[in-house]
C-alpha cells in the first residue's frame, strides 16, 4: 500500500510558519476592529472588499505579530518589507493613482467653498462628506476600481493580493487613523502643500466665522451712581444691638468633615 502524502492534488499545503521578527511594526489593536476613525474604517472596508478569504485573516495576524519589518509611505506609493517563512523578507509595493496638480487645485477650490470642511481639515480632521467632493470631481479618495490600486509582492504566492500585502494594508489603516493626510499624500498631494493652498484660498478666514470661533468680549457696562446698587443692601443696626454668633467647639474642623485623630 502506497504511503499517503501530506496533501494531494486537490488539497492546499499546510500554512507555513513565518520567522519571528524582533522590532517589527506591530498593530496597536490586539483583537476586534483595526481602526477607530471613519476614514480608517472606510479603508478597511476597501481591503475586505477584495475577498481574500483566509489570506485576509492571515494578513491580519501578520500585522498583529509584527511581521512587517518596514513601511515607507511616499507620494503615490507604499513600499514595505514583510518577513515570511523564508530567510529574506518579501518586498511589498503598493501604488496608487496619483492626481495631477490641476486636479488637486480643483479639489482645493471646492473644499474652500465649504467653511466647515476647511475648519475640520485645518484641525487635522477628515469631514465625512469629503468623499462627495472627490466623487463630484470624478477623483475618488479611496480606491474604487482596479486602476486605482496596484499591488506587488516578491513572495511565491500566485495570489494577488497575498497575506503579506494584506498585512501592509491593515497597518496602513492604522496609519490613516493617526494621520488622515496620508490619504492625500498617496493621491499625490503632500500635507503641508495642501494646507498652504487651502489657506491661500481664504479658507482659514471663512472657517473663523463658523460656530466655535473665539467669542468677542461684551461691551463694558457703566457703574451705577447709587451706592446701594454698588455695595448691596446692608443693615443700619448698631453693632452693639446685634447678637454675637454662638461659640462652637472646633467650628472650622467640623465644617471640614471627619478628621482622623481629632479630639
Amino acid at each position: 500500500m502506497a504511503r499517503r502524502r501530506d496533501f494531494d492534488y486537490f488539497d492546499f499545503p499546510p500554512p507555513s510558519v513565518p520567522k519571528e521578527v524582533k522590532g517589527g511594526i506591530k498593530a496597536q489593536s490586539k483583537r476586534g476592529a483595526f481602526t477607530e476613525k471613519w476614514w480608517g474604517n472606510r479603508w478597511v472596508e476597501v481591503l475586505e472588499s477584495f475577498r481574500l478569504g483566509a489570506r485576509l485573516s492571515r494578513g491580519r495576524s501578520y500585522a498583529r505579530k509584527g511581521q512587517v519589518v518596514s513601511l515607507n509611505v511616499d507620494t503615490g506609493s507604499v513600499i514595505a518589507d514583510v518577513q515570511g517563512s523564508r530567510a529574506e523578507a518579501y518586498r511589498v509595493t503598493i501604488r496608487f493613482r496619483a492626481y495631477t496638480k490641476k486636479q488637486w487645485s480643483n479639489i482645493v477650490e471646492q473644499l474652500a467653498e465649504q467653511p466647515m470642511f476647511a475648519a475640520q481639515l485645518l484641525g487635522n480632521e477628515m469631514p465625512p462628506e469629503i468623499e462627495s467632493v472627490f466623487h463630484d470631481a470624478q477623483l475618488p479618495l479611496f480606491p474604487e476600481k482596479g486602476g486605482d490600486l496596484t499591488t506587488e509582492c516578491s513572495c511565491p504566492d500566485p495570489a494577488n493580493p497575498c497575506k503579506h500585502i494584506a498585512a501592509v494594508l491593515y497597518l496602513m489603516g492604522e496609519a490613516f487613523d493617526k494621520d488622515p493626510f496620508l490619504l492625500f499624500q498617496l493621491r499625490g498631494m503632500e500635507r503641508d502643500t495642501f494646507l498652504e493652498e487651502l489657506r491661500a484660498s481664504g479658507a482659514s478666514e471663512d472657517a473663523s466665522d463658523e460656530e466655535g470661533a473665539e467669542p468677542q468680549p461684551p461691551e463694558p457696562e457703566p457703574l451705577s451712581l447709587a451706592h446701594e446698587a454698588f455695595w448691596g443692601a446692608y443693615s443700619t443696626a448698631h453693632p452693639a444691638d446685634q447678637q454675637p454668633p454662638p461659640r462652637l467647639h472646633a467650628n472650622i474642623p467640623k465644617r471640614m468633615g471627619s478628621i482622623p485623630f481629632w479630639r
Side-chain angles (χ1 to χ4, degrees):
M1 181 177 180
R3 183 179 179 182
R4 187 181 183 277
R5 296 179 300 173
D6 292 335
F7 59 93
D8 56 28
Y9 181 82
F10 296 100
D11 292 332
F12 291 102
S16 57
V17 179
K19 293 183 177 296
E20 184 179 356
V21 177
K22 294 183 179 180
I25 305 174
K26 287 187 178 182
Q28 297 296 319
S29 64
K30 302 305 179 183
R31 61 175 59 88
F34 248 79
T35 54
E36 298 178 355
K37 305 292 186 179
W38 76 263
W39 54 86
N41 295 336
R42 182 76 175 87
W43 174 258
V44 173
E45 289 179 4
V46 173
L47 170 59
E48 293 177 348
S49 68
F50 293 150
R51 298 180 180 179
L52 304 182
R55 291 182 177 89
L56 189 66
S57 60
R58 296 192 66 189
R60 187 165 52 243
S61 176
Y62 268 46
R64 285 176 169 155
K65 285 182 178 179
Q67 296 301 124
V68 178
V69 181
S70 64
L71 194 155
N72 299 306
V73 179
D74 201 353
T75 303
S77 66
V78 175
I79 298 178
D81 292 325
V82 183
Q83 182 63 58
S85 57
R86 295 188 178 183
E88 295 184 0
Y90 301 121
R91 173 58 55 94
V92 172
T93 304
I94 303 173
R95 294 185 179 88
F96 287 71
R97 176 191 168 196
Y99 300 142
T100 64
K101 185 176 181 179
K102 183 178 180 180
Q103 290 173 327
W104 268 109
S105 298
N106 182 28
I107 293 174
V108 171
E109 290 178 1
Q110 295 187 43
L111 291 174
E113 294 176 358
Q114 303 289 338
M116 286 303 297
F117 286 7
Q120 289 179 285
L121 288 167
L122 292 172
N124 203 40
E125 287 288 331
M126 189 77 70
E129 299 83 3
I130 196 173
E131 277 195 275
S132 62
V133 177
F134 281 82
H135 186 268
D136 293 342
Q138 297 182 350
L139 302 170
L141 178 60
F142 296 92
E144 293 182 349
K145 54 186 179 180
D148 293 336
L149 182 67
T150 57
T151 58
E152 298 176 3
C153 183
S154 61
C155 73
D157 190 344
N160 189 359
C162 62
K163 57 181 176 291
H164 311 107
I165 295 174
V168 176
L169 292 174
Y170 269 119
L171 289 181
M172 287 171 60
E174 280 197 346
F176 293 152
D177 253 12
K178 298 178 181 178
D179 185 5
F181 288 98
L182 289 177
L183 285 166
F184 289 7
Q185 184 177 1
L186 291 172
R187 289 300 190 183
M189 173 62 73
E190 296 284 345
R191 178 182 184 274
D192 294 340
T193 303
F194 171 80
L195 294 179
E196 288 177 3
E197 294 188 6
L198 192 62
R199 292 190 182 99
S201 66
S204 58
E205 288 78 6
D206 295 336
S208 63
D209 297 334
E210 294 295 319
E211 183 180 357
E214 183 177 355
Q216 297 297 326
E219 294 291 333
E221 298 181 1
L223 295 176
S224 174
L225 298 179
H227 64 275
E228 293 87 355
F230 182 79
W231 296 105
Y234 62 93
S235 175
T236 58
H238 193 273
D241 299 334
Q242 297 181 1
Q243 297 294 329
R247 297 179 61 85
L248 298 176
H249 177 65
N251 185 25
I252 294 179
K254 287 181 178 179
R255 293 183 182 181
M256 297 174 62
S258 178
I259 300 178
F261 310 114
W262 173 257
R263 290 188 178 181

